[in-house]
Amino acid sequence: MDQEFFTMPRIGDMAPDFKAMTTQGMMQFSEHIKGSWTILFSHPADFTPVCTTEMTGFALLEDDFKAMNTKLVGLSIDSIHSHIAWVHNVKEKMGILMKFPIIADIDMKVAKLYGMLQPGESETAAVRAVFFIDPSGKIRLIMYYPLNVGRNMDEIIRALQALQAADLHKVALPLNWRPGEMVIVPPPKTVDEMEERIKSNYEMVDFYLAKKKI
Ligand code: BEZ
């Protein structure tokens, strides 16, 4: 198998840059994402049922993502003509307009760059990948789903809220965390910090598991 299929960006890597045609015109990715959060997500193919549910899900929440300083960028290995026809069809049949750019990755360049082509699943269609990229251009969270299982929009939003809360408050987020719930204070790194922690009024199981409100 072609080695380039196996490029897999990892959490903490800078998002690989590329130039590509999208439903909103040419895009230099590094320029497009500068200064905002970005969710780059792939779908296997236009005019397919699961993808239609997912893409309309993103479209319906586009304003919510915008309010979270987050841009959406879709991608599939389809032509720009196919994308435009699908966007038009979905608007006509469902009354939902996919305004966010969708990359026409017909030569699979971007899909290969982001490990979206996983040959054991399909050699010609991208899996359902989601890359969360922060305003500095760093990849912060990655999800991969197979062709036959749709993603969970609640979890995508929750993960974005968790990443943003972690950055803003310098905290970590526990299992199933939701906004409004207590957050984890990073564990002490020195004995002095541990002594301080024990005297603190955080909600504590022990010094290494302390929670606070934000
Ligand atoms: C779908 O979106 O329904 C789909 C796309 C590719 C393979 C299987 C399902």
PDB file of all heavy atoms in Angstrom, residues 80-103:
ATOM      1  N   ILE A  80     -16.168  19.303  -7.252  1.00  0.00           N
ATOM      2  CA  ILE A  80     -16.873  20.524  -6.857  1.00  0.00           C
ATOM      3  C   ILE A  80     -18.292  20.529  -7.443  1.00  0.00           C
ATOM      4  O   ILE A  80     -19.240  20.995  -6.805  1.00  0.00           O
ATOM      5  CB  ILE A  80     -16.060  21.789  -7.281  1.00  0.00           C
ATOM      6  CG1 ILE A  80     -16.535  23.007  -6.506  1.00  0.00           C
ATOM      7  CG2 ILE A  80     -16.096  22.036  -8.773  1.00  0.00           C
ATOM      8  CD1 ILE A  80     -16.185  23.004  -5.059  1.00  0.00           C
ATOM      9  N   HIS A  81     -18.450  19.930  -8.627  1.00  0.00           N
ATOM     10  CA  HIS A  81     -19.778  19.879  -9.270  1.00  0.00           C
ATOM     11  C   HIS A  81     -20.727  19.001  -8.442  1.00  0.00           C
ATOM     12  O   HIS A  81     -21.889  19.329  -8.244  1.00  0.00           O
ATOM     13  CB  HIS A  81     -19.656  19.348 -10.706  1.00  0.00           C
ATOM     14  CG  HIS A  81     -18.608  20.065 -11.489  1.00  0.00           C
ATOM     15  ND1 HIS A  81     -18.727  21.392 -11.838  1.00  0.00           N
ATOM     16  CD2 HIS A  81     -17.397  19.657 -11.942  1.00  0.00           C
ATOM     17  CE1 HIS A  81     -17.637  21.772 -12.481  1.00  0.00           C
ATOM     18  NE2 HIS A  81     -16.814  20.738 -12.555  1.00  0.00           N
ATOM     19  N   SER A  82     -20.188  17.884  -7.952  1.00  0.00           N
ATOM     20  CA  SER A  82     -20.994  17.001  -7.103  1.00  0.00           C
ATOM     21  C   SER A  82     -21.383  17.727  -5.812  1.00  0.00           C
ATOM     22  O   SER A  82     -22.545  17.686  -5.382  1.00  0.00           O
ATOM     23  CB  SER A  82     -20.185  15.735  -6.792  1.00  0.00           C
ATOM     24  OG  SER A  82     -20.790  15.018  -5.752  1.00  0.00           O
ATOM     25  N   HIS A  83     -20.421  18.393  -5.197  1.00  0.00           N
ATOM     26  CA  HIS A  83     -20.708  19.132  -3.947  1.00  0.00           C
ATOM     27  C   HIS A  83     -21.821  20.160  -4.175  1.00  0.00           C
ATOM     28  O   HIS A  83     -22.754  20.269  -3.381  1.00  0.00           O
ATOM     29  CB  HIS A  83     -19.467  19.894  -3.478  1.00  0.00           C
ATOM     30  CG  HIS A  83     -18.428  19.069  -2.784  1.00  0.00           C
ATOM     31  ND1 HIS A  83     -18.641  17.800  -2.307  1.00  0.00           N
ATOM     32  CD2 HIS A  83     -17.130  19.363  -2.468  1.00  0.00           C
ATOM     33  CE1 HIS A  83     -17.543  17.350  -1.732  1.00  0.00           C
ATOM     34  NE2 HIS A  83     -16.611  18.282  -1.813  1.00  0.00           N
ATOM     35  N   ILE A  84     -21.684  20.916  -5.255  1.00  0.00           N
ATOM     36  CA  ILE A  84     -22.659  21.990  -5.511  1.00  0.00           C
ATOM     37  C   ILE A  84     -24.044  21.393  -5.758  1.00  0.00           C
ATOM     38  O   ILE A  84     -25.054  21.884  -5.237  1.00  0.00           O
ATOM     39  CB  ILE A  84     -22.178  22.889  -6.683  1.00  0.00           C
ATOM     40  CG1 ILE A  84     -20.962  23.707  -6.209  1.00  0.00           C
ATOM     41  CG2 ILE A  84     -23.287  23.813  -7.182  1.00  0.00           C
ATOM     42  CD1 ILE A  84     -20.187  24.396  -7.310  1.00  0.00           C
ATOM     43  N   ALA A  85     -24.084  20.294  -6.530  1.00  0.00           N
ATOM     44  CA  ALA A  85     -25.374  19.641  -6.811  1.00  0.00           C
ATOM     45  C   ALA A  85     -25.995  19.113  -5.511  1.00  0.00           C
ATOM     46  O   ALA A  85     -27.212  19.221  -5.291  1.00  0.00           O
ATOM     47  CB  ALA A  85     -25.171  18.506  -7.812  1.00  0.00           C
ATOM     48  N   TRP A  86     -25.164  18.567  -4.628  1.00  0.00           N
ATOM     49  CA  TRP A  86     -25.658  18.017  -3.352  1.00  0.00           C
ATOM     50  C   TRP A  86     -26.159  19.139  -2.437  1.00  0.00           C
ATOM     51  O   TRP A  86     -27.240  19.045  -1.837  1.00  0.00           O
ATOM     52  CB  TRP A  86     -24.533  17.212  -2.691  1.00  0.00           C
ATOM     53  CG  TRP A  86     -24.919  16.421  -1.476  1.00  0.00           C
ATOM     54  CD1 TRP A  86     -26.084  15.737  -1.265  1.00  0.00           C
ATOM     55  CD2 TRP A  86     -24.109  16.222  -0.311  1.00  0.00           C
ATOM     56  NE1 TRP A  86     -26.044  15.107  -0.038  1.00  0.00           N
ATOM     57  CE2 TRP A  86     -24.849  15.390   0.557  1.00  0.00           C
ATOM     58  CE3 TRP A  86     -22.839  16.646   0.074  1.00  0.00           C
ATOM     59  CZ2 TRP A  86     -24.352  14.993   1.799  1.00  0.00           C
ATOM     60  CZ3 TRP A  86     -22.338  16.248   1.302  1.00  0.00           C
ATOM     61  CH2 TRP A  86     -23.092  15.430   2.154  1.00  0.00           C
ATOM     62  N   VAL A  87     -25.363  20.216  -2.345  1.00  0.00           N
ATOM     63  CA  VAL A  87     -25.773  21.372  -1.521  1.00  0.00           C
ATOM     64  C   VAL A  87     -27.136  21.882  -2.012  1.00  0.00           C
ATOM     65  O   VAL A  87     -28.055  22.139  -1.215  1.00  0.00           O
ATOM     66  CB  VAL A  87     -24.699  22.495  -1.583  1.00  0.00           C
ATOM     67  CG1 VAL A  87     -25.238  23.805  -1.004  1.00  0.00           C
ATOM     68  CG2 VAL A  87     -23.424  22.068  -0.848  1.00  0.00           C
ATOM     69  N   HIS A  88     -27.275  21.975  -3.338  1.00  0.00           N
ATOM     70  CA  HIS A  88     -28.521  22.458  -3.937  1.00  0.00           C
ATOM     71  C   HIS A  88     -29.673  21.499  -3.617  1.00  0.00           C
ATOM     72  O   HIS A  88     -30.767  21.915  -3.217  1.00  0.00           O
ATOM     73  CB  HIS A  88     -28.339  22.603  -5.444  1.00  0.00           C
ATOM     74  CG  HIS A  88     -29.594  22.986  -6.156  1.00  0.00           C
ATOM     75  ND1 HIS A  88     -30.178  24.232  -6.039  1.00  0.00           N
ATOM     76  CD2 HIS A  88     -30.414  22.280  -6.970  1.00  0.00           C
ATOM     77  CE1 HIS A  88     -31.280  24.267  -6.746  1.00  0.00           C
ATOM     78  NE2 HIS A  88     -31.448  23.090  -7.327  1.00  0.00           N
ATOM     79  N   ASN A  89     -29.390  20.188  -3.767  1.00  0.00           N
ATOM     80  CA  ASN A  89     -30.420  19.176  -3.532  1.00  0.00           C
ATOM     81  C   ASN A  89     -30.911  19.203  -2.079  1.00  0.00           C
ATOM     82  O   ASN A  89     -32.110  19.153  -1.801  1.00  0.00           O
ATOM     83  CB  ASN A  89     -29.855  17.794  -3.898  1.00  0.00           C
ATOM     84  CG  ASN A  89     -30.851  16.678  -3.636  1.00  0.00           C
ATOM     85  OD1 ASN A  89     -30.827  16.062  -2.578  1.00  0.00           O
ATOM     86  ND2 ASN A  89     -31.745  16.447  -4.580  1.00  0.00           N
ATOM     87  N   VAL A  90     -29.957  19.298  -1.157  1.00  0.00           N
ATOM     88  CA  VAL A  90     -30.307  19.304   0.281  1.00  0.00           C
ATOM     89  C   VAL A  90     -31.126  20.550   0.611  1.00  0.00           C
ATOM     90  O   VAL A  90     -32.103  20.482   1.368  1.00  0.00           O
ATOM     91  CB  VAL A  90     -29.025  19.200   1.148  1.00  0.00           C
ATOM     92  CG1 VAL A  90     -29.318  19.523   2.605  1.00  0.00           C
ATOM     93  CG2 VAL A  90     -28.401  17.810   1.030  1.00  0.00           C
ATOM     94  N   LYS A  91     -30.763  21.669  -0.001  1.00  0.00           N
ATOM     95  CA  LYS A  91     -31.521  22.907   0.252  1.00  0.00           C
ATOM     96  C   LYS A  91     -32.952  22.752  -0.262  1.00  0.00           C
ATOM     97  O   LYS A  91     -33.922  23.117   0.413  1.00  0.00           O
ATOM     98  CB  LYS A  91     -30.828  24.087  -0.429  1.00  0.00           C
ATOM     99  CG  LYS A  91     -31.551  25.396  -0.187  1.00  0.00           C
ATOM    100  CD  LYS A  91     -30.733  26.586  -0.569  1.00  0.00           C
ATOM    101  CE  LYS A  91     -31.530  27.849  -0.344  1.00  0.00           C
ATOM    102  NZ  LYS A  91     -31.967  28.475  -1.592  1.00  0.00           N
ATOM    103  N   GLU A  92     -33.052  22.170  -1.455  1.00  0.00           N
ATOM    104  CA  GLU A  92     -34.366  21.998  -2.080  1.00  0.00           C
ATOM    105  C   GLU A  92     -35.240  21.007  -1.313  1.00  0.00           C
ATOM    106  O   GLU A  92     -36.409  21.253  -1.058  1.00  0.00           O
ATOM    107  CB  GLU A  92     -34.145  21.481  -3.500  1.00  0.00           C
ATOM    108  CG  GLU A  92     -35.251  21.828  -4.468  1.00  0.00           C
ATOM    109  CD  GLU A  92     -34.834  21.440  -5.873  1.00  0.00           C
ATOM    110  OE1 GLU A  92     -34.644  20.233  -6.134  1.00  0.00           O
ATOM    111  OE2 GLU A  92     -34.660  22.358  -6.679  1.00  0.00           O
ATOM    112  N   LYS A  93     -34.637  19.879  -0.920  1.00  0.00           N
ATOM    113  CA  LYS A  93     -35.437  18.811  -0.290  1.00  0.00           C
ATOM    114  C   LYS A  93     -35.661  19.039   1.206  1.00  0.00           C
ATOM    115  O   LYS A  93     -36.660  18.616   1.769  1.00  0.00           O
ATOM    116  CB  LYS A  93     -34.738  17.442  -0.441  1.00  0.00           C
ATOM    117  CG  LYS A  93     -34.476  17.025  -1.861  1.00  0.00           C
ATOM    118  CD  LYS A  93     -35.758  16.559  -2.534  1.00  0.00           C
ATOM    119  CE  LYS A  93     -35.483  16.153  -3.955  1.00  0.00           C
ATOM    120  NZ  LYS A  93     -36.636  16.128  -4.817  1.00  0.00           N
ATOM    121  N   MET A  94     -34.667  19.654   1.874  1.00  0.00           N
ATOM    122  CA  MET A  94     -34.731  19.744   3.337  1.00  0.00           C
ATOM    123  C   MET A  94     -34.771  21.180   3.844  1.00  0.00           C
ATOM    124  O   MET A  94     -34.910  21.406   5.049  1.00  0.00           O
ATOM    125  CB  MET A  94     -33.536  19.004   3.964  1.00  0.00           C
ATOM    126  CG  MET A  94     -33.475  17.524   3.556  1.00  0.00           C
ATOM    127  SD  MET A  94     -31.956  16.685   4.071  1.00  0.00           S
ATOM    128  CE  MET A  94     -32.208  16.531   5.813  1.00  0.00           C
ATOM    129  N   GLY A  95     -34.560  22.130   2.953  1.00  0.00           N
ATOM    130  CA  GLY A  95     -34.564  23.541   3.354  1.00  0.00           C
ATOM    131  C   GLY A  95     -33.369  23.929   4.205  1.00  0.00           C
ATOM    132  O   GLY A  95     -33.419  24.893   4.966  1.00  0.00           O
ATOM    133  N   ILE A  96     -32.283  23.165   4.092  1.00  0.00           N
ATOM    134  CA  ILE A  96     -31.074  23.454   4.896  1.00  0.00           C
ATOM    135  C   ILE A  96     -29.918  23.780   3.949  1.00  0.00           C
ATOM    136  O   ILE A  96     -29.619  22.997   3.043  1.00  0.00           O
ATOM    137  CB  ILE A  96     -30.700  22.234   5.779  1.00  0.00           C
ATOM    138  CG1 ILE A  96     -31.835  21.910   6.759  1.00  0.00           C
ATOM    139  CG2 ILE A  96     -29.389  22.495   6.532  1.00  0.00           C
ATOM    140  CD1 ILE A  96     -31.670  20.586   7.488  1.00  0.00           C
ATOM    141  N   LEU A  97     -29.304  24.946   4.186  1.00  0.00           N
ATOM    142  CA  LEU A  97     -28.186  25.352   3.320  1.00  0.00           C
ATOM    143  C   LEU A  97     -26.853  25.105   4.025  1.00  0.00           C
ATOM    144  O   LEU A  97     -26.621  25.625   5.122  1.00  0.00           O
ATOM    145  CB  LEU A  97     -28.326  26.838   2.946  1.00  0.00           C
ATOM    146  CG  LEU A  97     -27.232  27.387   2.037  1.00  0.00           C
ATOM    147  CD1 LEU A  97     -27.192  26.650   0.693  1.00  0.00           C
ATOM    148  CD2 LEU A  97     -27.414  28.886   1.813  1.00  0.00           C
ATOM    149  N   MET A  98     -25.997  24.318   3.385  1.00  0.00           N
ATOM    150  CA  MET A  98     -24.645  24.094   3.927  1.00  0.00           C
ATOM    151  C   MET A  98     -23.776  25.267   3.451  1.00  0.00           C
ATOM    152  O   MET A  98     -23.289  25.271   2.325  1.00  0.00           O
ATOM    153  CB  MET A  98     -24.083  22.766   3.403  1.00  0.00           C
ATOM    154  CG  MET A  98     -24.877  21.557   3.837  1.00  0.00           C
ATOM    155  SD  MET A  98     -24.079  20.055   3.250  1.00  0.00           S
ATOM    156  CE  MET A  98     -25.307  19.371   2.188  1.00  0.00           C
ATOM    157  N   LYS A  99     -23.637  26.256   4.339  1.00  0.00           N
ATOM    158  CA  LYS A  99     -22.907  27.474   3.955  1.00  0.00           C
ATOM    159  C   LYS A  99     -21.407  27.312   4.137  1.00  0.00           C
ATOM    160  O   LYS A  99     -20.613  27.975   3.499  1.00  0.00           O
ATOM    161  CB  LYS A  99     -23.387  28.653   4.816  1.00  0.00           C
ATOM    162  CG  LYS A  99     -24.758  29.158   4.400  1.00  0.00           C
ATOM    163  CD  LYS A  99     -25.118  30.416   5.161  1.00  0.00           C
ATOM    164  CE  LYS A  99     -26.105  30.054   6.248  1.00  0.00           C
ATOM    165  NZ  LYS A  99     -26.436  31.068   7.205  1.00  0.00           N
ATOM    166  N   PHE A 100     -21.001  26.435   5.050  1.00  0.00           N
ATOM    167  CA  PHE A 100     -19.560  26.262   5.309  1.00  0.00           C
ATOM    168  C   PHE A 100     -18.880  25.664   4.083  1.00  0.00           C
ATOM    169  O   PHE A 100     -19.518  24.945   3.299  1.00  0.00           O
ATOM    170  CB  PHE A 100     -19.343  25.374   6.540  1.00  0.00           C
ATOM    171  CG  PHE A 100     -20.056  24.049   6.470  1.00  0.00           C
ATOM    172  CD1 PHE A 100     -19.510  22.974   5.798  1.00  0.00           C
ATOM    173  CD2 PHE A 100     -21.302  23.892   7.086  1.00  0.00           C
ATOM    174  CE1 PHE A 100     -20.174  21.754   5.730  1.00  0.00           C
ATOM    175  CE2 PHE A 100     -21.982  22.679   7.020  1.00  0.00           C
ATOM    176  CZ  PHE A 100     -21.415  21.615   6.337  1.00  0.00           C
ATOM    177  N   PRO A 101     -17.582  25.967   3.887  1.00  0.00           N
ATOM    178  CA  PRO A 101     -16.890  25.429   2.715  1.00  0.00           C
ATOM    179  C   PRO A 101     -16.727  23.914   2.795  1.00  0.00           C
ATOM    180  O   PRO A 101     -16.445  23.369   3.864  1.00  0.00           O
ATOM    181  CB  PRO A 101     -15.519  26.133   2.758  1.00  0.00           C
ATOM    182  CG  PRO A 101     -15.369  26.679   4.126  1.00  0.00           C
ATOM    183  CD  PRO A 101     -16.746  26.855   4.709  1.00  0.00           C
ATOM    184  N   ILE A 102     -16.916  23.262   1.665  1.00  0.00           N
ATOM    185  CA  ILE A 102     -16.683  21.813   1.564  1.00  0.00           C
ATOM    186  C   ILE A 102     -15.590  21.605   0.519  1.00  0.00           C
ATOM    187  O   ILE A 102     -15.738  22.022  -0.642  1.00  0.00           O
ATOM    188  CB  ILE A 102     -17.963  21.048   1.156  1.00  0.00           C
ATOM    189  CG1 ILE A 102     -19.135  21.416   2.081  1.00  0.00           C
ATOM    190  CG2 ILE A 102     -17.709  19.539   1.176  1.00  0.00           C
ATOM    191  CD1 ILE A 102     -20.488  20.878   1.617  1.00  0.00           C
ATOM    192  N   ILE A 103     -14.498  20.995   0.939  1.00  0.00           N
ATOM    193  CA  ILE A 103     -13.353  20.783   0.041  1.00  0.00           C
ATOM    194  C   ILE A 103     -13.672  19.682  -0.965  1.00  0.00           C
ATOM    195  O   ILE A 103     -14.186  18.622  -0.594  1.00  0.00           O
ATOM    196  CB  ILE A 103     -12.098  20.396   0.865  1.00  0.00           C
ATOM    197  CG1 ILE A 103     -11.698  21.555   1.793  1.00  0.00           C
ATOM    198  CG2 ILE A 103     -10.947  19.984  -0.048  1.00  0.00           C
ATOM    199  CD1 ILE A 103     -10.699  21.170   2.879  1.00  0.00           C
TER     200      ILE A 103
END
